[in-house]
Amino acid sequence: MVLANQFFTLMFQVGKLREKIQEVKQEREQEQHKHTAYISELKAKLHEEKMKELQSVRELLIRQHEQEVARMVKIKDSEIQRLQSTVNVLRDGAADKVKTALLSEAKEEARKAFDSERMKLQQEILELKSGKKQLEEALNNIMQADKMKAADLRIAYQSHQDEINRIKRECERDIRRLVSL
């Protein structure tokens, strides 16, 4: 009977454990479902943010393109107006006006070319002046070194001459001493 009681209590506990396992499984499934929903929600938000960002980039590129097109249109319009005025001048038959316009345009181009060449030559002159200054400094340094070397040589020559004279005097004195003996 004790065994039967123990068996029933054991069976009762097994039943409770099975219920507990079922509850844990249900809770895990609920958590999993909750996390799946949360991940789906985050993916949707991320997609929405990317779409907004993409839209703003698209709008920015469209604005930049429109500005570039407007700039090109303005340039082309000014070119068309210049050409139209030239055509009108030619159509009017005003040869002097055409000559004047062409001459002024040629003068402007020549002036630009001259200015460009002048700038190049001025730059070259500056570089040559800089080079000349460096060479003059180097020459001055070399001349100064030569002067110092010449002064050193004069001092050495003078000391050698003094030494020769001293040796001559000693020799003459020795000779006189020897002759007097």
Side-chain angles (χ1 to χ4, degrees), residues 51-63:
M51 293 306 288
K52 284 180 183 178
E53 186 178 329
L54 186 63
Q55 184 63 30
S56 66
V57 169
R58 182 181 294 135
E59 289 172 3
L60 176 67
L61 289 174
I62 288 171
R63 278 195 303 271

Side-chain angles (χ1 to χ4, degrees), residues 47-120:
H47 180 71
E48 184 179 323
E49 288 175 7
K50 282 184 179 180
M51 293 306 288
K52 284 180 183 178
E53 186 178 329
L54 186 63
Q55 184 63 30
S56 66
V57 169
R58 182 181 294 135
E59 289 172 3
L60 176 67
L61 289 174
I62 288 171
R63 278 195 303 271
Q64 287 176 347
H65 178 69
E66 288 172 352
Q67 289 173 350
E68 186 67 23
V69 167
R71 188 179 69 78
M72 292 302 290
V73 165
K74 188 183 277 186
I75 290 170
K76 292 296 180 184
D77 283 346
S78 66
E79 184 69 18
I80 289 170
Q81 287 176 355
R82 187 182 70 78
L83 292 173
Q84 188 65 41
S85 66
T86 305
V87 167
N88 288 339
V89 168
L90 290 173
R91 215 183 283 149
D92 291 344
D96 291 338
K97 289 181 181 179
V98 170
K99 285 181 185 177
T100 305
L102 291 174
L103 184 62
S104 66
E105 194 171 314
K107 283 181 181 178
E108 183 65 24
E109 288 178 15
R111 186 188 61 74
K112 287 179 181 177
F114 174 76
D115 287 345
S116 172
E117 188 64 27
R118 186 180 69 201
M119 292 297 288
K120 287 178 187 176

Side-chain angles (χ1 to χ4, degrees), residues 22-177:
Q22 272 308 87
E23 288 176 16
V24 169
K25 281 184 181 178
Q26 285 177 351
E27 286 177 10
R28 186 182 301 150
E29 286 176 5
Q30 288 174 352
E31 283 292 318
Q32 207 170 19
H33 181 69
K34 188 191 309 181
H35 289 299
T36 304
Y38 183 67
I39 288 172
S40 296
E41 184 180 317
L42 286 177
K43 283 182 180 178
K45 283 182 182 179
L46 179 64
H47 180 71
E48 184 179 323
E49 288 175 7
K50 282 184 179 180
M51 293 306 288
K52 284 180 183 178
E53 186 178 329
L54 186 63
Q55 184 63 30
S56 66
V57 169
R58 182 181 294 135
E59 289 172 3
L60 176 67
L61 289 174
I62 288 171
R63 278 195 303 271
Q64 287 176 347
H65 178 69
E66 288 172 352
Q67 289 173 350
E68 186 67 23
V69 167
R71 188 179 69 78
M72 292 302 290
V73 165
K74 188 183 277 186
I75 290 170
K76 292 296 180 184
D77 283 346
S78 66
E79 184 69 18
I80 289 170
Q81 287 176 355
R82 187 182 70 78
L83 292 173
Q84 188 65 41
S85 66
T86 305
V87 167
N88 288 339
V89 168
L90 290 173
R91 215 183 283 149
D92 291 344
D96 291 338
K97 289 181 181 179
V98 170
K99 285 181 185 177
T100 305
L102 291 174
L103 184 62
S104 66
E105 194 171 314
K107 283 181 181 178
E108 183 65 24
E109 288 178 15
R111 186 188 61 74
K112 287 179 181 177
F114 174 76
D115 287 345
S116 172
E117 188 64 27
R118 186 180 69 201
M119 292 297 288
K120 287 178 187 176
L121 290 174
Q122 285 176 340
Q123 182 65 31
E124 190 175 330
I125 288 170
L126 288 175
E127 290 171 2
L128 290 172
K129 283 182 179 178
S130 174
K132 179 184 174 188
K133 185 177 179 182
Q134 290 174 352
L135 289 173
E136 286 175 348
E137 288 175 0
L139 179 62
N140 285 337
N141 290 339
I142 290 171
M143 289 174 63
Q144 189 68 26
D146 282 348
K147 287 179 183 177
M148 291 174 63
K149 184 71 171 179
D152 289 344
L153 289 174
R154 279 193 294 277
I155 292 170
Y157 175 77
Q158 187 61 43
S159 69
H160 285 126
Q161 288 299 319
D162 291 344
E163 185 68 21
I164 290 170
N165 287 335
R166 185 187 61 77
I167 291 171
K168 278 184 184 178
R169 281 193 306 268
E170 284 179 6
C171 287
E172 287 176 2
R173 193 179 45 212
D174 286 345
I175 291 172
R176 281 190 209 128
R177 192 176 43 91

